[in-house]
Amino acid sequence: RIRFIQGIARGSVEVPLAQHETILEALSASDADRSAELLREHIAGSLVFMDRHLRERPELFVDEGAPARRKVS
């Protein structure tokens, strides 16, 4: 779902793609510490992005036919 939301959010695909490339470079260089640091940053950024969109566009996170969930405050 986050990929779908990133696809509709203007300019939001370039950053994660660049992060993926940097992570792969660190992995290819067998730099475990750098890879782990980059992955943590990438995941943290994704969580911030998702949280912001959950608050701004909660309808994007609702499955048709799924039981209603309580609102996030």
Side-chain angles (χ1 to χ4, degrees):
R1 183 158 299 187
I2 193 70
R3 286 187 211 136
F4 168 77
I5 295 167
Q6 284 177 324
I8 63 173
R10 186 172 162 174
S12 62
V13 176
E14 293 82 6
V15 170
L17 287 178
Q19 291 172 334
H20 290 175
E21 290 176 7
T22 306
I23 292 165
L24 288 173
E25 289 169 4
L27 289 169
S28 294
S30 299
D31 189 342
D33 291 337
R34 180 76 175 138
S35 299
E37 176 187 345
L38 291 167
L39 281 167
R40 278 191 296 276
E41 290 173 6
H42 175 66
I43 291 168
S46 294
L47 292 173
V48 168
F49 178 90
M50 188 171 56
D51 183 61
R52 186 179 88 228
H53 281 78
L54 177 60
R55 293 175 192 285
E56 293 174 1
R57 302 276 314 271
E59 73 277 7
L60 295 175
F61 293 84
V62 176
D63 289 329
E64 294 297 322
R69 297 181 185 174
R70 65 181 176 88
K71 287 188 173 184
V72 176
S73 54

